[in-house]
Amino acid sequence: MMEEDLPTSLDEKLSNAGAEVFFRFEKRIENLDKELRGFANAARQLGSSVGILSSAFKLRERLTKILFLFRENAANLYPRKIARQPREALPNPNFMHRQRRAPWRGQHAPLVKLVLEDNLEPDTLPAQFESFAKDVVTFLNCLNEFPEFTDEAVNQSMRGFEADLKYWASCLAEYKTQFRSPAVQRYVHDLTTEIGDHIDNITGTLSMFIEIGVPTIRFHQQHAASNLLNLSTVATFFSAVTASTLQFSYSSTGNVLADSVNAFWFSSLVFSIAAAVNSLLGLTWKQAMYRSPGHRVPWWVLIWIKRSPLVFLVMSVACFSAGLMLFTYSSGQGPVTSTIITVLTAVTSFGLAAVSAWFASERWIFVQHKGQKWLEEVISEATNHLTNTRVARTSRITLQWCSLRIAVARGYLRRLTSWIIKPKQPKDLLPIVEPPQPRPRTRAPPRPPVYHQEPAPFVPKPEAALSVCSIVTENPASSTEGRSDETTETRQSDARQRFVNAIRSVIMLQSTTRPMSPRRHSSWDTPIVPTSAAVAMSPGRFPDPGMSLRGVRVTGAIDKLKALGTSQEMAAHQALVRHLQFSPNGKYLATSSWDRTSVIFRVGESFTTHRILVHVRGFIGQVAWSPNGRILLTRLTRAVKVWSEDGVCKKTIDRQNTVQSIIWLPTGDAFLSVEGSEIVKLDLHGKVLDIYHLGQVRLTNVAVTPDCCRLVGVGPSITPPSGPQPSRHTRVEKRIIVYNMQTRTRESQTPFANDVRDIAMARKTPAVLISPEKAAPQLWKLEIVRDRDRVEYAQTSRLNLKHTFTLKGPVDIAGPCHFGGKDDQFVLCAGKTGDIHIWDRETAALLHCIRPQNTAGGGDLTCIGWNYATDDPMMLATGSHDGTVRIHSTAPLDRRSDNESYLERHTQGDRETNYSVHSGG
């Protein structure tokens, strides 16, 4: 009974994880719909809100359709957990639709329904994404039509969402006929997480807009309405005043002054009435819900509504003032009254004209310079330009010369005046040596006696000045010396204060220029789906892997895998080990490192260094043994080197483009070089045999089928420069492409959500292993099916996901995953912390997990490789950051192996290290 329940429990777990992702997305959609309803209710109080209300309704309607399509997609993947939504009517939130169909009094309002289209099928999802992007932009434009408040957070979130929707629509348009395939359905299901993140950002920013933006807009609109109301009140009052004053002059006619007074006052009355009426008209227009936004109204209508009330009121005041001034003359008032009224009218009219000109100039400057300059700055620039002209410079020089002459003449005149009024002093008082004794004076002199300063002025030397300072400092006895002391202390305190201020300035400067802390990785850098929930992406229709362990083969494999242990550690390199691979015949192990060397080890009970391949230039990114194990390829950035098993460099093949990967053909007569979106077929002499173009995809790696007919490539798609581009936080779509090398056509392409590190294919079966960057590996099956698109009988291929392997907790994967075992019956994956997971390929059961070692450097793996030559003993190798290569194997053989490499008895000469240096780089 236990064995019967296990498959169901695992399938339930997979379905629950996948359904949870959809329900989380559905909750986010509901939250945004709730915010849009709240925004519509709050925006109805604003003027010109009909556009934003209509766009909010359309956006809510589009959300309903998108949610329906994603529910249909999730129901296809997890039918037992997610129910399909019937095509039933939904309440229509459009208030205008309800008003147009308002019932008669006493009747109940009918419930307006939102009916989903009959053609709303999964293959319409790209078109729905395009329409969704348009609705988002329309809603954003309606938000920006309120100039009183602009939120950059709303603009950025919605613009980013629009770009991503268009990008996803362009990507999904490539799979119009594949929306029923499980691979495309899983990709669409994976998009719910990224779309949900965008929706959460919009929901948060929209909530802030409701709390801050709507009250701000309402305040500005109420303030403008209050100004218009006040202007209407003033204009009405002024028209009453003008009408009252007309009672004194309307009957006086027959001369020019009387007619002018009546003309000005009647004009003032007309302008004041027009100002009052236009103010009420503008107030009604601003508070109307259905009014058009400002940029959609003709300019003359906008100017008449906004500017005419104030202009008419100013003209009314000017006409009334002119008429009042003329009335003082026409009515025979006295000269004093007429003069005073004329002066006051001129002053007030000048001030009114100056302020009006200033307001008009400010508006003109704002339009001309787009708010970059103020009127005062423009006036200053014009003034500086005028002062730099030749006439202005000449005038300035003339004025300076005149002012200098006047200053000199003023100095001479001051001396002459002081000499004339200076009192004459007695001659016997000039040479006084001793201090004069006080004596009575008959009168006080007009100025203090300065006759003892009459001798020629004496200029002290610097030494004398120093000595005086020192004396004053040492003898602070007299009042003069005390004042010098106070001055010295004041100067010392000022110097101390300046020193303290300088120290503070330095501290503040250091605090502002201090290096910032390293930026945290955004949540977009983490996997979209947690590792524990990554199994939700699996179809979930296979039996539980634990129930498939019934065969003797798998049971024996578990026992052998548990016996794996570290048998040898080798300090192979001085830098990070980038890649390693066993030769197919099991004789050698080749490694590559960033120290520009590649080491060939001889495989045995004790590994020994066979050859060291030194590369003068470039970093070695990969090593690849030929199928017969006699030729080794090393990949550089833009070159491939061909080596013999004895470490002799036979050829250096230079390439113009960057070489991403190299792959041997199963026949062993040529290899493939992955260069961008092209795959170049080369022989060992560097001759280009063929070039395969796989379309708009930047290939990471490819794998070749055993019959050399097809290759499977994987990598991110390349978006054309003129097409939609993803936003900064959105993952680029990855594609798995099956290419037929004989017909030179792409037979199928499958979208993939996560970043892909590598791809591998089993040597005897059409099993494809995908190694994501931050998720567990996946096993796909390449199936050959009949091509229904052709009339004649033809075959094509397609990929189907078979397993998504599970990890024990979150693991940061190191390097690509590989097949293991002599018949590729295992799948192994290494984590950067040192743990190694080994699964059964057919059942996806985790057979063994090698825990990280406690030794130094044992938890920093970079790559892993399996010895496919034999399973007795099982053997794998790992590389580390410190250059160490570790060999993990089962117990040493105590009998002769069928493999020739284990029969070899290495002589002392074979154990010596041989170096092979190729100076060609």
Side-chain angles (χ1 to χ4, degrees), residues 653-665:
I653 304 174
D654 294 323
R655 302 298 302 161
Q656 296 181 353
N657 300 322
T658 301
V659 181
Q660 297 291 338
S661 178
I662 49 177
I663 305 95
W664 279 95
L665 293 177

PDB file of all heavy atoms in Angstrom, residues 653-665:
ATOM      1  N   ILE A 653      44.745  26.874 -34.694  1.00  0.00           N
ATOM      2  CA  ILE A 653      43.698  27.358 -35.598  1.00  0.00           C
ATOM      3  C   ILE A 653      43.184  28.683 -35.038  1.00  0.00           C
ATOM      4  O   ILE A 653      42.529  28.712 -33.987  1.00  0.00           O
ATOM      5  CB  ILE A 653      42.558  26.337 -35.725  1.00  0.00           C
ATOM      6  CG1 ILE A 653      43.109  24.978 -36.183  1.00  0.00           C
ATOM      7  CG2 ILE A 653      41.479  26.837 -36.676  1.00  0.00           C
ATOM      8  CD1 ILE A 653      42.080  23.868 -36.190  1.00  0.00           C
ATOM      9  N   ASP A 654      43.489  29.754 -35.714  1.00  0.00           N
ATOM     10  CA  ASP A 654      43.041  31.092 -35.291  1.00  0.00           C
ATOM     11  C   ASP A 654      41.663  31.370 -35.868  1.00  0.00           C
ATOM     12  O   ASP A 654      41.365  31.043 -37.012  1.00  0.00           O
ATOM     13  CB  ASP A 654      44.031  32.169 -35.757  1.00  0.00           C
ATOM     14  CG  ASP A 654      45.383  32.043 -35.072  1.00  0.00           C
ATOM     15  OD1 ASP A 654      45.393  31.695 -33.873  1.00  0.00           O
ATOM     16  OD2 ASP A 654      46.416  32.269 -35.739  1.00  0.00           O
ATOM     17  N   ARG A 655      40.841  32.012 -35.052  1.00  0.00           N
ATOM     18  CA  ARG A 655      39.486  32.386 -35.468  1.00  0.00           C
ATOM     19  C   ARG A 655      39.305  33.896 -35.276  1.00  0.00           C
ATOM     20  O   ARG A 655      39.884  34.494 -34.368  1.00  0.00           O
ATOM     21  CB  ARG A 655      38.428  31.637 -34.637  1.00  0.00           C
ATOM     22  CG  ARG A 655      38.542  30.116 -34.723  1.00  0.00           C
ATOM     23  CD  ARG A 655      38.330  29.631 -36.140  1.00  0.00           C
ATOM     24  NE  ARG A 655      37.031  30.051 -36.645  1.00  0.00           N
ATOM     25  CZ  ARG A 655      36.728  30.093 -37.932  1.00  0.00           C
ATOM     26  NH1 ARG A 655      37.633  29.747 -38.844  1.00  0.00           N
ATOM     27  NH2 ARG A 655      35.525  30.491 -38.326  1.00  0.00           N
ATOM     28  N   GLN A 656      38.504  34.480 -36.129  1.00  0.00           N
ATOM     29  CA  GLN A 656      38.253  35.915 -36.042  1.00  0.00           C
ATOM     30  C   GLN A 656      37.258  36.263 -34.945  1.00  0.00           C
ATOM     31  O   GLN A 656      37.348  37.332 -34.345  1.00  0.00           O
ATOM     32  CB  GLN A 656      37.745  36.438 -37.389  1.00  0.00           C
ATOM     33  CG  GLN A 656      38.759  36.320 -38.521  1.00  0.00           C
ATOM     34  CD  GLN A 656      38.210  36.879 -39.826  1.00  0.00           C
ATOM     35  OE1 GLN A 656      37.042  37.235 -39.912  1.00  0.00           O
ATOM     36  NE2 GLN A 656      39.071  36.938 -40.833  1.00  0.00           N
ATOM     37  N   ASN A 657      36.313  35.382 -34.686  1.00  0.00           N
ATOM     38  CA  ASN A 657      35.298  35.623 -33.661  1.00  0.00           C
ATOM     39  C   ASN A 657      35.649  34.867 -32.384  1.00  0.00           C
ATOM     40  O   ASN A 657      36.479  33.958 -32.374  1.00  0.00           O
ATOM     41  CB  ASN A 657      33.917  35.187 -34.166  1.00  0.00           C
ATOM     42  CG  ASN A 657      33.495  35.939 -35.413  1.00  0.00           C
ATOM     43  OD1 ASN A 657      33.758  37.143 -35.531  1.00  0.00           O
ATOM     44  ND2 ASN A 657      32.849  35.248 -36.347  1.00  0.00           N
ATOM     45  N   THR A 658      34.979  35.263 -31.320  1.00  0.00           N
ATOM     46  CA  THR A 658      35.190  34.604 -30.030  1.00  0.00           C
ATOM     47  C   THR A 658      34.623  33.187 -30.079  1.00  0.00           C
ATOM     48  O   THR A 658      33.489  32.966 -30.504  1.00  0.00           O
ATOM     49  CB  THR A 658      34.507  35.396 -28.919  1.00  0.00           C
ATOM     50  OG1 THR A 658      35.037  36.725 -28.896  1.00  0.00           O
ATOM     51  CG2 THR A 658      34.742  34.742 -27.570  1.00  0.00           C
ATOM     52  N   VAL A 659      35.420  32.233 -29.638  1.00  0.00           N
ATOM     53  CA  VAL A 659      35.018  30.822 -29.624  1.00  0.00           C
ATOM     54  C   VAL A 659      34.381  30.537 -28.262  1.00  0.00           C
ATOM     55  O   VAL A 659      35.046  30.593 -27.223  1.00  0.00           O
ATOM     56  CB  VAL A 659      36.220  29.899 -29.881  1.00  0.00           C
ATOM     57  CG1 VAL A 659      35.767  28.442 -29.881  1.00  0.00           C
ATOM     58  CG2 VAL A 659      36.900  30.259 -31.196  1.00  0.00           C
ATOM     59  N   GLN A 660      33.076  30.252 -28.264  1.00  0.00           N
ATOM     60  CA  GLN A 660      32.367  29.973 -27.021  1.00  0.00           C
ATOM     61  C   GLN A 660      32.574  28.541 -26.549  1.00  0.00           C
ATOM     62  O   GLN A 660      32.646  28.288 -25.346  1.00  0.00           O
ATOM     63  CB  GLN A 660      30.867  30.231 -27.216  1.00  0.00           C
ATOM     64  CG  GLN A 660      30.508  31.667 -27.539  1.00  0.00           C
ATOM     65  CD  GLN A 660      30.737  32.600 -26.377  1.00  0.00           C
ATOM     66  OE1 GLN A 660      30.782  32.179 -25.220  1.00  0.00           O
ATOM     67  NE2 GLN A 660      30.898  33.877 -26.677  1.00  0.00           N
ATOM     68  N   SER A 661      32.666  27.613 -27.478  1.00  0.00           N
ATOM     69  CA  SER A 661      32.794  26.211 -27.108  1.00  0.00           C
ATOM     70  C   SER A 661      33.288  25.424 -28.313  1.00  0.00           C
ATOM     71  O   SER A 661      33.164  25.874 -29.464  1.00  0.00           O
ATOM     72  CB  SER A 661      31.458  25.656 -26.616  1.00  0.00           C
ATOM     73  OG  SER A 661      31.554  24.289 -26.286  1.00  0.00           O
ATOM     74  N   ILE A 662      33.854  24.242 -28.054  1.00  0.00           N
ATOM     75  CA  ILE A 662      34.287  23.329 -29.112  1.00  0.00           C
ATOM     76  C   ILE A 662      33.711  21.950 -28.809  1.00  0.00           C
ATOM     77  O   ILE A 662      33.689  21.508 -27.658  1.00  0.00           O
ATOM     78  CB  ILE A 662      35.825  23.269 -29.232  1.00  0.00           C
ATOM     79  CG1 ILE A 662      36.471  23.053 -27.857  1.00  0.00           C
ATOM     80  CG2 ILE A 662      36.364  24.530 -29.878  1.00  0.00           C
ATOM     81  CD1 ILE A 662      37.979  22.909 -27.907  1.00  0.00           C
ATOM     82  N   ILE A 663      33.242  21.272 -29.847  1.00  0.00           N
ATOM     83  CA  ILE A 663      32.582  19.976 -29.698  1.00  0.00           C
ATOM     84  C   ILE A 663      33.051  19.066 -30.826  1.00  0.00           C
ATOM     85  O   ILE A 663      33.037  19.442 -31.999  1.00  0.00           O
ATOM     86  CB  ILE A 663      31.028  20.114 -29.752  1.00  0.00           C
ATOM     87  CG1 ILE A 663      30.560  21.121 -28.714  1.00  0.00           C
ATOM     88  CG2 ILE A 663      30.353  18.763 -29.540  1.00  0.00           C
ATOM     89  CD1 ILE A 663      30.380  22.506 -29.277  1.00  0.00           C
ATOM     90  N   TRP A 664      33.478  17.880 -30.460  1.00  0.00           N
ATOM     91  CA  TRP A 664      33.871  16.891 -31.452  1.00  0.00           C
ATOM     92  C   TRP A 664      32.635  16.262 -32.076  1.00  0.00           C
ATOM     93  O   TRP A 664      31.629  16.009 -31.396  1.00  0.00           O
ATOM     94  CB  TRP A 664      34.715  15.797 -30.810  1.00  0.00           C
ATOM     95  CG  TRP A 664      36.162  16.151 -30.609  1.00  0.00           C
ATOM     96  CD1 TRP A 664      36.723  16.643 -29.477  1.00  0.00           C
ATOM     97  CD2 TRP A 664      37.214  16.013 -31.572  1.00  0.00           C
ATOM     98  NE1 TRP A 664      38.067  16.846 -29.659  1.00  0.00           N
ATOM     99  CE2 TRP A 664      38.400  16.461 -30.946  1.00  0.00           C
ATOM    100  CE3 TRP A 664      37.276  15.567 -32.894  1.00  0.00           C
ATOM    101  CZ2 TRP A 664      39.624  16.476 -31.580  1.00  0.00           C
ATOM    102  CZ3 TRP A 664      38.500  15.579 -33.541  1.00  0.00           C
ATOM    103  CH2 TRP A 664      39.657  16.023 -32.887  1.00  0.00           C
ATOM    104  N   LEU A 665      32.707  15.979 -33.359  1.00  0.00           N
ATOM    105  CA  LEU A 665      31.681  15.162 -33.987  1.00  0.00           C
ATOM    106  C   LEU A 665      31.896  13.704 -33.601  1.00  0.00           C
ATOM    107  O   LEU A 665      33.046  13.269 -33.393  1.00  0.00           O
ATOM    108  CB  LEU A 665      31.736  15.311 -35.513  1.00  0.00           C
ATOM    109  CG  LEU A 665      31.349  16.685 -36.067  1.00  0.00           C
ATOM    110  CD1 LEU A 665      31.512  16.699 -37.582  1.00  0.00           C
ATOM    111  CD2 LEU A 665      29.930  17.041 -35.689  1.00  0.00           C
TER     112      LEU A 665
END
